[in-house]
Amino acid sequence: MDESEFLAGYDPRAYPAVAVTVDVVALTIRGGMLHVLLVQRGEQPYAGLWALPGGFIRPGEDLPEAAARELDEETGLTGRVHIEQLASYGAPERDPRMRIVSISYLAFAPDLPDPRAGSDAADAAWHRVDRLPKLAFDHERILGHGLERARDKLEYTPLATAFAGERFTISELRAVYETVWGVPLHAGNFHRKILSVPGFVESTGETTESGGARGGPRAKLYRAGDARLLHPALLRPSREEEIR
């Protein structure tokens, strides 16, 4: 039997039905605090509970396309958004409807706008990650994995620049690290470390229009460099203590 004959007689109904969804952990910094995007479910199951934006993939649609579409349809978010695959979740009882495997994605960008709820959501809003409501399905677990991934990636990739905008000061970049890691950092040490990592940031040759709140010289402006990995890595203070 050749392949065409095999496929002609193949019956997918001979196997248990499995659906595939995408869920998106979208993070941004608002008012100096780390926020995650949540949608309030307008339909059963878990009607009224908050959840990560997501949904079923469509025929002929690749997974990254589905993640980007769901993020746009349920929230109306547009603009410079970095999105990458996070993990997969396939526990048999994770969804009460049927066996559903979810592929999660992590998205982040600076100054994301107020979202708008899609047709199947009652509401959409940014929530501080330290003040979360009860989440539907296993989304608390997915969110936890997304937060840890973001915190880890700040150590060895230039991810922080995705939160900082096109141009930024070293102080603004430090604020990203402090917000995502949840710890204060020594300004002088941080400045020295950032500029010692090849390709992490590059000077724009420009400065801020004025000095800081207490006056002083205008701060230099930087943009993301061409590095894909940071060497040496910028370790969290707790990790530095472990190594010592």
Side-chain angles (χ1 to χ4, degrees):
M1 180 184 297
D2 62 21
E3 183 175 291
S4 60
E5 292 174 322
F6 167 77
L7 293 176
Y10 182 79
D11 184 5
R13 293 172 297 179
Y15 300 91
V18 177
V20 179
T21 62
V22 291
D23 291 303
V24 183
V25 179
L27 302 174
T28 195
I29 295 175
R30 296 165 65 89
M33 302 298 295
L34 187 62
H35 286 68
V36 63
L37 181 65
L38 299 177
V39 296
Q40 190 175 36
R41 291 185 57 78
E43 302 174 354
Q44 294 292 354
Y46 300 111
L49 290 189
W50 291 88
L52 298 171
F56 292 94
I57 63 170
R58 294 175 177 174
E61 188 175 49
D62 199 3
L63 292 169
E65 293 175 312
R69 174 183 54 77
E70 286 290 345
L71 189 61
D72 179 65
E73 287 182 353
E74 296 199 14
T75 66
L77 294 180
T78 58
R80 189 171 63 92
V81 178
H82 174 93
I83 186 166
E84 64 181 60
Q85 192 171 121
L86 175 61
S88 57
Y89 302 84
E93 305 299 328
R94 63 177 301 273
D95 193 301
R97 292 169 290 189
M98 62 180 295
R99 182 70 184 273
I100 295 180
V101 175
S102 176
I103 311 300
S104 64
Y105 281 80
L106 181 63
F108 23 77
D111 302 323
L112 290 177
D114 290 330
R116 68 164 188 264
S119 59
D120 59 348
D123 196 6
W126 291 104
H127 290 252
R128 282 176 49 170
V129 298
D130 59 345
R131 295 181 180 178
L132 293 173
K134 178 178 175 58
L135 301 184
F137 305 105
D138 54 355
H139 288 188
E140 182 177 350
R141 178 176 179 234
I142 297 175
L143 173 56
H145 291 167
L147 290 171
E148 192 56 30
R149 167 75 70 84
R151 288 163 180 156
D152 283 346
K153 292 198 71 171
L154 256 63
E155 296 186 340
Y156 62 88
T157 76
L159 167 63
T161 60
F163 285 99
E166 295 289 345
R167 301 184 307 162
F168 48 84
T169 66
I170 298 298
S171 294
E172 289 170 340
L173 192 63
R174 187 180 79 251
V176 171
Y177 275 87
E178 291 178 332
T179 300
V180 178
W181 282 351
V183 295
L185 301 173
H186 187 278
N189 289 343
F190 180 84
H191 193 283
R192 174 181 53 80
K193 289 179 180 179
I194 292 298
L195 297 185
S196 69
V197 179
F200 187 5
V201 299
E202 59 183 34
S203 174
T204 64
E206 303 171 334
T207 63
T208 55
E209 295 182 358
S210 61
R214 299 180 179 180
R218 293 180 293 180
K220 294 181 180 179
L221 289 170
Y222 295 84
R223 65 170 68 94
D226 59 3
R228 294 295 176 264
L229 294 175
L230 304 185
H231 183 74
L234 276 71
L235 299 181
R236 281 177 271 186
S238 59
R239 294 278 296 274
E240 289 184 335
E241 291 298 325
E242 291 174 6
I243 292 175
R244 292 173 185 170

